[in-house]
Amino acid sequence: MRILVLANTPAHVHLYRHAVDRLERAGHDVLVLTREYACTTDLLDYFGMPYRVYGRHETDGYSRLGFVRELGGQFLTIGLEALRFDPDVIFGRGPYAAYAGTLSRAPVVLVLDDEPGDFNHTVSRPFADCIISPAVTRRDLGDAHYTFDGFKECAYLHPEVFEPTGDVREYLDVDPDEPYVIVRFNALDALHDTDLEGFRPEQRRDLIERLSESATVFVSDEGGELDLRDLPARPYDLHPALIHDAMAEAELLVADTGTMATEAALLGTPAFRYRGTDDHEYGEFRALERAGLAEQFDAYDAVRDRSLEILADDGASDRWERRRREYVGSLVNLTDLLVAVAESRGSIARLEGEAKRALRPRSHSL
């Protein structure tokens, strides 16, 4: 079989990397189409995934009109690559995967989460043969929409899949018993982030200064705008492929971005997300909050004070790890499901066994 994957962001690389590896080892021909965006190609190289680049996306904010212009300039390359590869099934999301499937006449499988990307869903939904999303997703995308118990991050952070390297503290140059915190600042440059605001500059500085009183602070600044020279913090500068190992060892993650907060929670690390001006209700976060793995805050003072409180709580790490074992261990291993769907050429009717039982029509779970 020939399987085409559209991976446009670092998160997409993680979503598919284990499935791509297993499919290749099973003898299938896999190609990833991607764009130069943040560390996406760095991850593809690190994991040895077969890919071709169709364009680039700069990490600065832009409007919907800018997105349409960017997309139009990349469609030609995507189409040519899809026709040349001649896939049996295509995985992705949004207009990229829909367009590739239309030209190549291959079944399209959209793997979605609960982000508010209504534009992406609107333009791609009519072209999808199968739509897969977490059961916590609140929208119903039609008869082809199926859900599973879990999160898209379960493709790489499920306990059956995630294997820590064990030496990330050495890479970070922290002692075995030295507490550290990761602070993640969002660039807010994606389409669904347009007009949103996270931590303000003065809040970033205050948060770092207060957290540094209790732990070593590593800052992952997606936009690259924060000057740390006069702040008690260190830049997180490991290879991006090691971020999950670093989060798993951290005492706490504080962020104004959704993906890394979800990832930390699934790893059993307290994950606190500052919503800023984002008033969208994410189904994933509601589920993680109910499981006691993540917390969201509307006010800056609240997230800062709660972060200091958890750092002073000696029993927090054990509680979060116990919650992870109980909750995350019961979720679907999404890599197993993606492999099964790929080998069925995107046909849910052809699935058998655990894969068939893992999916249910979205309309039946409303």
Side-chain angles (χ1 to χ4, degrees):
M1 283 182 57
R2 302 172 68 81
I3 300 146
L4 181 65
V5 176
L6 277 294
N8 300 320
T9 70
H12 297 165
V13 176
H14 288 298
L15 170 62
Y16 292 110
R17 63 185 176 92
H18 290 294
V20 168
D21 179 61
R22 284 179 49 180
L23 288 165
E24 285 194 306
R25 286 191 282 112
H28 302 296
D29 192 2
V30 184
L31 174 64
V32 178
L33 286 184
T34 190
R35 62 185 177 181
E36 294 284 358
Y37 169 63
C39 62
T40 304
T41 54
D42 292 332
L43 289 173
L44 289 164
D45 287 329
Y46 184 92
F47 295 120
M49 296 170 68
Y51 73 91
R52 293 176 190 159
V53 176
Y54 66 77
R56 65 183 303 109
H57 168 59
E58 302 296 338
T59 55
D60 54 3
Y62 63 98
S63 64
R64 288 179 181 243
L65 178 59
F67 170 75
V68 172
R69 288 174 177 168
E70 177 182 281
L71 187 64
Q74 297 170 353
F75 264 12
L76 177 60
T77 303
I78 292 173
L80 290 174
E81 293 288 357
L83 289 172
R84 184 181 297 119
F85 187 65
D86 190 24
D88 295 297
V89 63
I90 296 173
F91 282 80
R93 60 177 294 153
Y96 304 94
Y99 178 66
T102 299
L103 282 186
S104 63
R105 298 185 178 180
V108 175
V109 179
L110 303 181
V111 183
L112 309 178
D113 53 15
D114 198 36
E115 290 181 348
D118 294 324
F119 173 77
N120 281 331
H121 298 330
T122 299
V123 299
S124 59
R125 172 182 169 182
F127 303 94
D129 296 86
C130 175
I131 302 173
I132 298 173
S133 76
V136 295
T137 301
R138 288 154 300 148
R139 57 173 59 87
D140 182 358
L141 298 176
D143 294 339
H145 186 186
Y146 293 82
T147 65
F148 64 95
D149 288 328
F151 305 79
K152 65 178 175 57
E153 292 82 5
C154 287
Y156 54 98
L157 297 181
H158 192 280
E160 295 174 358
V161 176
F162 178 69
E163 296 181 5
T165 62
D167 49 9
V168 72
R169 283 183 172 270
E170 179 180 347
Y171 297 147
L172 289 170
D173 192 24
V174 294
D175 294 334
D177 59 350
E178 180 178 350
Y180 69 85
V181 175
I182 296 177
V183 179
R184 170 69 163 182
F185 296 131
N186 200 341
L188 295 172
D189 65 314
L191 177 64
H192 56 264
D193 293 328
T194 301
D195 299 326
L196 293 183
E197 180 183 86
F199 288 109
R200 298 195 302 273
E202 68 275 14
Q203 293 172 339
R204 295 183 177 196
R205 298 179 64 87
D206 180 64
L207 179 66
I208 290 170
E209 289 172 350
R210 295 297 301 277
L211 292 177
S212 69
E213 298 172 3
S214 303
T216 299
V217 178
F218 290 96
V219 175
S220 173
D221 181 20
E222 188 178 24
E225 300 174 351
L226 184 63
D227 187 351
L228 295 177
R229 286 177 295 183
D230 62 342
L231 288 172
R234 295 159 56 183
Y236 176 83
D237 56 4
L238 298 188
H239 192 284
L242 298 175
I243 185 61
H244 302 119
D245 298 84
M247 283 195 290
E249 284 283 315
E251 297 293 313
L252 170 69
L253 175 108
V254 185
D256 54 6
T257 179
T259 296
M260 280 185 63
T262 299
E263 291 172 331
L266 292 173
L267 287 165
T269 297
F272 296 164
R273 175 177 177 263
Y274 174 52
R275 293 163 59 101
T277 60
D278 185 1
D279 59 0
H280 179 79
E281 290 294 334
Y282 296 86
E284 289 97 330
F285 267 100
R286 293 175 63 186
L288 290 169
E289 285 182 304
R290 288 194 296 268
L293 291 168
E295 298 178 23
Q296 293 190 96
F297 302 85
D298 295 320
Y300 166 69
D301 289 353
V303 67
R304 180 198 61 198
D305 295 346
R306 177 62 173 144
S307 298
L308 297 173
E309 177 186 348
I310 209 71
L311 287 177
D313 184 348
D314 293 335
S317 294
D318 289 340
R319 288 201 310 277
W320 255 262
E321 179 55 35
R322 183 177 65 253
R323 293 167 185 171
R324 176 186 184 248
R325 289 196 304 268
E326 294 173 353
Y327 179 68
V328 185
S330 68
L331 301 178
V332 169
N333 178 340
L334 184 55
T335 287
D336 287 347
L337 185 57
L338 293 176
V339 170
V341 172
E343 294 183 329
S344 75
R345 287 179 167 82
S347 172
I348 302 302
R350 295 196 188 108
L351 293 178
E352 298 178 348
E354 288 296 326
K356 189 175 184 65
R357 289 189 289 272
L359 289 175
R360 57 182 178 271
R362 176 61 177 138
S363 58
H364 292 184
S365 56
L366 288 176

